[in-house]
Amino acid sequence: MEKLTQETYLQWYRDMTFWRRFEDKCRSLYLKQKIRGFLHLYNGQEALPAGFIHAMKPGVDHVITAYRCHVWPMALGVDPKRILAELCGKETGTSHGLGGSMHVFSKEHNFYGGHGIVGGQIPLGAGIAFGDKFFNRDGVTICLMGDGATRQGTLHETFNMAMNWKLPVVFVCENNQYAMGTSVSRTANHEDIWKLGLGYEMPCMPVDGMDPVKVAEAAYEAIERARRGDGPTFLDVRTYRYRGHSMSDAEPYRTKEEVEEYKQEDPILNVENHILVNNWATKEQLDAIVDEVKVMVEECAEFAENSNYPEEHVMYDYIYSEENYPFLDKIENN
């Protein structure tokens, strides 16, 4: 893994601050009904993409995740303006406004969604890894899921095949301790999700998901294991979301005191403190970064709001590959 330097920490601070502000802007636009449907925010979990991207090979490795999916494509290089446009249902979005919040996608940046079905992306992640192995490519797939998805049967089927075929995949549980509203402690007789890997003799471990350094170290070890042909790893990355499961979540299952306690471990605050302690930047310089980020987020919002909605025919253009599909003929005749 590349050495963690002053530049690394400053980039982490800039990126994570931008991601947090971006999600806050999404919340604001949702309350104004400019984003519709469901909206799942990432606040508090920023150390995961920060750490993983440091350990990955850009343009070679792949990422697939669930529906809390706005930040990961940004980390991979997708234009955040297009991501916000997608959330607003605009034609300039990553999926031409047809996917929305839960289905951001970018083949160009090796980001394969954004999936609304709980656990549905787990076998797909193994499939992407199978493709790399079959064609002797160097890529490793990062397959992310929430703690709620680890109770799906598809996880066990996928773990079994991935180990049997030694697929180049890293399974990552973004364990924010609650599914929609059910705590990990209420879903099984133990809280150590990483132990699910033991039944398949898959290397597995818990990871501090509030520290990008620890995330990067665990990610690098797992990615390199997969890249050299030794098969998958399962990481139980323990993090916390500061917002509800979605915008419609009143959060009756946890206390405000609990949320405030975890905010003391905020990954952005931890990185900021490390920068200041090492005299890598002054508080004024960090404040200047925050000001720059605010401008960038507003530019994203302006782009999204000024973009047009897709025309009706676009919906059919990206669903039917057969031009003379009978259903389309019926529409035209009516």
Side-chain angles (χ1 to χ4, degrees):
M1 185 176 73
E2 291 185 10
K3 184 179 178 181
L4 299 172
T5 64
Q6 173 182 354
E7 288 70 27
T8 305
Y9 274 88
L10 288 172
Q11 189 63 51
W12 276 349
Y13 184 78
R14 180 182 295 276
D15 288 343
M16 292 196 292
T17 300
F18 178 79
W19 300 336
R20 179 76 59 85
R21 296 276 179 172
F22 182 95
E23 294 289 74
D24 288 342
K25 174 57 69 173
C26 291
R27 182 176 185 273
S28 174
L29 292 174
Y30 186 92
L31 293 174
K32 296 175 182 177
Q33 298 188 343
K34 294 182 178 180
I35 294 177
R36 303 296 184 94
F38 291 99
L39 182 68
H40 307 85
L41 303 178
Y42 205 72
N43 300 41
Q45 302 182 204
E46 294 90 353
L48 277 96
F52 264 91
I53 294 300
H54 187 77
M56 293 167 59
K57 284 186 178 180
V60 175
D61 298 331
H62 319 273
V63 173
I64 187 169
T65 187
Y67 42 73
R68 203 176 302 277
C69 65
H70 316 149
V71 169
W72 274 96
M74 283 189 276
L76 290 168
V78 179
D79 186 346
K81 292 180 180 178
R82 296 193 63 210
I83 295 173
L84 191 50
E86 183 60 40
L87 269 62
C88 292
K90 300 300 183 70
E91 66 177 359
T92 53
T94 55
S95 298
H96 305 283
L98 304 179
S101 169
M102 295 192 283
H103 301 101
V104 178
F105 182 90
S106 176
K107 181 180 179 182
E108 177 187 358
H109 294 89
N110 289 347
F111 182 74
Y112 296 94
H115 292 267
I117 303 302
V118 176
Q121 77 281 10
I122 300 174
L124 299 180
I128 297 168
F130 178 83
D132 279 335
K133 186 178 181 70
F134 186 84
F135 290 106
N136 295 312
R137 297 189 294 244
D138 196 35
V140 173
T141 299
I142 312 302
C143 180
L144 300 130
M145 68 204 78
D147 47 271
T150 62
R151 309 311 179 188
Q152 297 288 335
T154 188
L155 174 135
H156 297 276
E157 297 173 15
T158 303
F159 275 19
N160 184 57
M161 288 193 299
M163 281 300 293
N164 194 35
W165 295 338
K166 294 293 183 290
L167 298 183
V169 55
V170 180
F171 297 107
V172 182
C173 176
E174 293 188 294
N175 183 359
N176 58 33
Q177 305 180 45
Y178 295 95
M180 287 185 67
T182 305
S183 67
V184 171
S185 62
R186 295 180 60 195
T187 61
N189 67 340
H190 66 82
E191 298 182 38
D192 295 321
I193 290 177
W194 62 272
K195 291 182 179 179
L196 292 174
L198 296 176
Y200 305 93
E201 296 187 357
M202 182 186 298
C204 50
M205 68 195 74
V207 180
D208 181 357
M210 305 302 277
D211 185 344
V213 175
K214 293 179 180 178
V215 172
E217 291 171 346
Y220 181 78
E221 180 181 344
I223 290 170
E224 290 308 300
R225 179 184 295 119
R227 207 182 308 279
R228 64 176 177 260
D230 293 339
T233 300
F234 179 44
L235 301 178
D236 175 9
V237 186
R238 298 176 176 183
T239 182
Y240 197 82
R241 55 171 167 79
Y242 298 145
R243 299 290 188 184
H245 171 75
S246 69
M247 287 294 293
S248 59
D249 181 8
E251 305 179 59
Y253 48 83
R254 63 183 184 180
T255 65
K256 291 182 179 179
E257 290 75 18
E258 178 183 305
V259 177
E260 289 303 316
E261 181 180 345
Y262 275 98
K263 284 185 177 180
Q264 303 307 309
E265 302 178 37
D266 191 324
I268 299 176
L269 182 61
N270 289 339
V271 168
E272 177 182 329
N273 289 338
H274 192 85
I275 291 171
L276 294 174
V277 166
N278 286 278
N279 295 317
W280 287 343
T282 64
K283 187 65 169 66
E284 290 73 21
Q285 289 172 319
L286 294 182
D287 289 342
I289 292 176
V290 173
D291 290 338
E292 292 174 17
V293 162
K294 290 179 182 178
V295 173
M296 293 165 60
V297 170
E298 289 304 320
E299 289 174 349
C300 292
E302 183 179 351
F303 175 83
E305 293 193 57
N306 290 337
S307 295
N308 295 322
Y309 288 103
E311 295 184 17
E312 185 176 343
H313 71 84
V314 173
M315 162 169 56
Y316 303 103
D317 292 344
Y318 290 96
I319 292 178
Y320 301 104
S321 60
E322 186 179 343
E323 292 185 3
N324 62 344
Y325 193 79
F327 182 68
L328 295 181
D329 292 337
K330 290 181 181 179
I331 292 175
E332 292 172 359
N333 292 334
N334 289 333

